[in-house]
Amino acid sequence: MASVLFSLAACTPVRQAAPSLGLGTETRLEPALSGDGRLLASLLVRDGRTTVVLQERQTGRLLALAHLQRNQPHHSPSLSWNGRYLALISQQGERRLAVIEDRATGQLHPLPLPPGQEVQRLSLAPDASRLAMEVSRGGLSRVLIFDLRPRLEPDLPPGQSVSGGGLP
Amino acid sequence: MSRFCRPDWRSRSAALMLLPVCALLGGCMADQPRPLDGINRQLEASGSGNRAPSLSGRWLALITSRGNREVIDLVDLESGRPVPMAGLNRPDAEPLAVSVDGSGRRLALIRQRDGRTELVLHRLDVGASEPIAITPAGVPEQVALSADGRILAVQVSREGHSQIDLITLP
């Protein structure tokens, strides 16, 4: 145990602030990283609107999102391994709706829940095979897992092959 | 798929009558995501409620209400079994947020203990937790650990503003 604590303590984490968007004092919320840590998604609060922004973590360069500049406020962004998919909660009238933007194809995938359930928080598996949703129903919070494999191509680390399918 | 579109619906004739309606409604809600019923039942049975999910690889970390307190659970989604986590859930601490890496060996969490809010990195392979100082001082509110386990993104409240700190882990 002593050696473990030593190894943790001996290596000091390296810190930096998230890249600024050049907007003065920014309020930034709910960070999410791509699986490889290259991209950072977060919520920017400006002029009373809470909007997702996607940046390269090291340079701060902003990346375009085709479908996610409206239906605010946004909540709970989550990224896949290479950042191909960005899942978040958007506002659709009176209801919250989970959506996934596929940055490779430009498609937007809405993920409606049955009536009576309201999504509160999301977590997208890095390979985009599953989505976890915290939903509230009757005042209680529950976490539900959904299978995305029939709908989304996997987003895997480079060099990792898709398992299953095809003949040996 | 909604119950109206299930092929095992009892009345075939009534189902046939509904088919045009389903088509008009865009595939009869075929866009609804498919729940993983087995694991969802297990999660429901594991406590009186759960929240703050973090998925990575085959692992799901979340906060579960059990008895009179909340605890962090880690579930192996391939086997459906909870993973024992020695030394993580202290009786004097209340978890606020959690994030797991893709190997299931590192958990980052925010918890309240002794009236303070602290950011902690827990290594499951060795059962050791280490607080990570917030510098400049601030209150950690949310945390995200990259799936490769190398980067932490932390929402920190400082002087009334929420900011994001990025921490490269050794």
Side-chain angles (χ1 to χ4, degrees), chain A residues 127-142:
Chain A
D127 65 359
S129 63
R130 302 181 183 102
L131 182 73
M133 285 196 209
E134 176 190 324
V135 302
S136 63
R137 188 175 56 186
L140 282 178
S141 288
R142 276 192 68 190

Side-chain angles (χ1 to χ4, degrees), chain A residues 1 4-5 7-19 25-38 40-43 57-58 81 110-115 121-127 129-135 137 140-151, chain B residues 29-37 39-41 43-44 48-60 62-63 77-78 102 106 121 123 126-130 132-135 141-149 151-156 160-170:
Chain A
M1 181 64 78
V4 170
L5 292 176
S7 66
L8 280 171
C11 304
T12 305
V14 178
R15 302 159 183 285
Q16 64 180 110
T25 306
E26 304 162 352
T27 294
R28 303 275 292 275
L29 306 169
E30 299 192 28
L33 292 161
S34 57
D36 59 5
R38 189 177 64 85
L40 169 71
S42 62
L43 302 179
R57 178 178 57 85
Q58 291 194 315
W81 187 275
L111 303 168
L113 287 171
R121 183 163 287 277
L122 295 181
S123 179
L124 179 66
D127 65 359
S129 63
R130 302 181 183 102
L131 182 73
M133 285 196 209
E134 176 190 324
V135 302
R137 188 175 56 186
L140 282 178
S141 288
R142 276 192 68 190
V143 171
L144 299 172
I145 312 297
F146 295 90
D147 187 2
L148 300 177
R149 275 173 280 205
R151 302 183 61 178
Chain B
M29 301 169 78
D31 280 343
Q32 284 194 354
R34 189 170 71 84
L36 294 172
D37 291 330
I39 191 71
N40 290 339
R41 276 193 296 271
L43 292 175
E44 185 169 23
S48 56
N50 34 45
R51 63 181 182 88
S54 168
L55 272 179
S56 201
R58 62 194 286 179
W59 312 103
L60 168 69
L62 74 171
I63 297 175
L77 294 175
E78 299 297 324
R106 281 182 164 183
L121 183 67
R123 287 180 51 182
V126 291
S129 294
E130 183 75 7
I132 297 178
I134 302 293
T135 310
E141 298 174 320
Q142 290 284 342
V143 63
L145 179 59
S146 61
D148 65 7
I151 309 290
L152 267 180
V154 188
Q155 177 187 318
V156 179
H161 284 281
S162 290
Q163 303 168 327
I164 294 173
D165 288 4
L166 295 168
I167 301 172
T168 302
L169 298 172

Side-chain angles (χ1 to χ4, degrees), chain B:
Chain B
M1 183 183 293
S2 83
R3 61 194 174 97
F4 294 116
C5 284
R6 282 183 186 154
D8 59 350
W9 202 51
R10 291 177 184 169
S11 170
R12 282 174 179 250
S13 58
L16 286 172
M17 290 171 64
L18 281 174
L19 278 176
V21 179
C22 289
L24 283 173
L25 290 174
C28 198
M29 301 169 78
D31 280 343
Q32 284 194 354
R34 189 170 71 84
L36 294 172
D37 291 330
I39 191 71
N40 290 339
R41 276 193 296 271
Q42 288 183 42
L43 292 175
E44 185 169 23
S46 67
S48 56
N50 34 45
R51 63 181 182 88
S54 168
L55 272 179
S56 201
R58 62 194 286 179
W59 312 103
L60 168 69
L62 74 171
I63 297 175
T64 301
S65 299
R66 192 170 296 136
N68 292 323
R69 57 185 296 234
E70 290 193 310
V71 295
I72 292 172
D73 280 339
L74 183 66
V75 180
D76 181 347
L77 294 175
E78 299 297 324
S79 69
R81 293 183 178 161
V83 178
M85 290 186 294
L88 179 64
N89 287 306
R90 298 173 56 117
D92 61 346
E94 178 186 358
L96 302 177
V98 63
S99 184
V100 62
D101 78 352
S103 71
R105 288 196 289 266
R106 281 182 164 183
L107 278 169
L109 61 134
I110 297 171
R111 67 186 181 193
Q112 279 191 321
R113 189 164 73 94
D114 295 334
R116 294 189 317 113
T117 305
E118 62 182 8
L119 173 66
V120 173
L121 183 67
H122 184 80
R123 287 180 51 182
L124 277 94
D125 50 351
V126 291
S129 294
E130 183 75 7
I132 297 178
I134 302 293
T135 310
V139 178
E141 298 174 320
Q142 290 284 342
V143 63
L145 179 59
S146 61
D148 65 7
R150 294 177 182 164
I151 309 290
L152 267 180
V154 188
Q155 177 187 318
V156 179
S157 175
R158 292 188 179 98
E159 299 173 353
H161 284 281
S162 290
Q163 303 168 327
I164 294 173
D165 288 4
L166 295 168
I167 301 172
T168 302
L169 298 172

